[in-house]
Amino acid sequence: MAGGRAQGSRRAVRLPEGGRLMAQASQLLALWALAAVALPGSGAEGDGGWYAFVKPVILQGLTDNSRFRALCSRERLLASFGDRVVRLSTANTYSYHKVDLPFQEYVEQLLHPQDPTSLGNDTLYFFGDNNFTEWASLFRHYSPPPFGLLGTAPAYSFGIAGAGSGVPFHWHGPGYSEVIYGRKRWFLYPPEKTPEFHPNKTTLAWLRDTYPALPPSARPLECTIRAGEVLYFPDRWWHATLNLDTSVFISTFLG
């Protein structure tokens, strides 16, 4: 049934620019999600799993991560993990450069609003590239979306970043991104539509310099994900992110 509903809704859907989905649209997207990513062992993987590779989807109200959110406050993270060494990546498309430093130093010295004039390779970003066995006491309280893709195993990637920061356009396998604190704006293009961008310019610079001149036909799908909301991003979709506030977020990669 879910697969049938998804097949009847193949038109491209533009997520509201910088805004939120209306309730009716949210319900429709939730139905798409059920068609796209089946509950493990439900036997529904073959009904509409193909749709998981076609559309991004916003998911709401699937899990209760209030306990995890409480543990992710600035004070509690510093108390529990302040002396742990974390690996930071430069916020450019290829993220080649890595820097290791104590988590407390990152929070107190680097977690500030993005300078619009900074290049991506001058901006350090805490997301992925970490030994999260050391963070197991935190992650055991996180409940990911209860959907999976057949033949994949989930992997977490945890991030904390300042307002105006983000990662410019890139692509990878499918997964989820949940905002724990703050707001994260997303810009997405399907695999066949390569966006216009410079790999060493930040998302903030792209939004200021490139985005305003894009004709309607070249605009991305876009949305703003708030605390407690989850974005499902399909396989190989181009996407760039922009943290509108100091944000805490976690991705679940399905691959």
Side-chain angles (χ1 to χ4, degrees):
M1 177 178 174
R5 179 69 64 88
Q7 291 182 28
S9 306
R10 293 187 182 179
R11 290 184 304 158
V13 173
R14 178 174 294 279
L15 302 182
E17 181 177 339
R20 298 174 61 80
L21 295 170
M22 300 300 290
Q24 188 175 19
S26 275
Q27 293 168 6
L28 179 59
L29 290 176
L31 288 173
W32 286 351
L34 293 175
V37 278
L39 284 167
S42 68
E45 290 90 341
D47 290 341
W50 62 271
Y51 213 79
F53 301 94
V54 178
K55 297 290 180 186
V57 181
I58 294 175
L59 305 174
Q60 298 172 323
L62 290 179
T63 57
D64 179 8
N65 277 308
S66 55
R67 172 62 175 162
F68 182 74
R69 186 176 192 273
L71 294 172
C72 288
S73 69
R74 177 188 174 103
E75 295 75 17
R76 298 187 81 160
L77 285 176
L78 286 176
S80 300
F81 305 102
D83 60 346
R84 304 288 175 87
V85 173
V86 296
R87 174 158 293 180
L88 309 179
S89 302
T90 50
N92 51 358
T93 293
Y94 305 112
S95 299
Y96 287 134
H97 186 53
K98 311 291 183 183
V99 174
D100 294 339
L101 79 170
F103 178 64
Q104 183 165 350
E105 184 176 335
Y106 171 70
V107 170
E108 294 180 347
Q109 298 185 22
L110 299 178
L111 195 61
H112 48 65
Q114 174 77 45
D115 180 350
T117 64
S118 294
L119 293 175
N121 60 7
D122 295 325
T123 304
L124 293 173
Y125 197 76
F126 174 56
F127 181 60
D129 288 316
N130 287 280
N131 177 11
F132 286 123
T133 58
E134 299 181 358
W135 296 65
S137 61
L138 174 66
F139 292 135
R140 65 186 177 90
H141 295 284
Y142 178 67
S143 298
F147 303 116
L149 290 176
L150 189 63
T152 67
Y156 294 149
S157 194
F158 183 63
I160 303 172
S165 64
V167 179
F169 283 103
H170 63 288
W171 59 265
H172 44 63
Y176 302 103
S177 180
E178 179 168 355
V179 173
I180 308 302
Y181 282 100
R183 297 170 297 156
K184 182 183 286 287
R185 189 170 174 182
W186 284 72
F187 306 90
L188 304 105
Y189 287 96
E192 69 277 8
K193 194 170 184 179
T194 303
E196 178 184 343
F197 73 101
H198 188 289
N200 197 33
K201 282 194 174 183
T202 64
T203 304
L204 190 61
W206 175 85
L207 185 63
R208 179 194 62 193
D209 300 334
T210 304
Y211 179 91
L214 293 175
S217 61
R219 290 286 176 100
L221 294 175
E222 52 188 292
C223 61
T224 297
I225 305 299
R226 291 165 168 78
E229 296 180 333
V230 179
L231 177 70
Y232 170 74
F233 48 87
D235 188 35
R236 301 184 183 185
W237 271 62
W238 289 95
H239 56 277
T241 59
L242 179 67
N243 296 297
L244 302 181
D245 315 295
T246 298
S247 299
V248 179
F249 43 91
I250 184 168
S251 290
T252 304
F253 291 100
L254 304 174

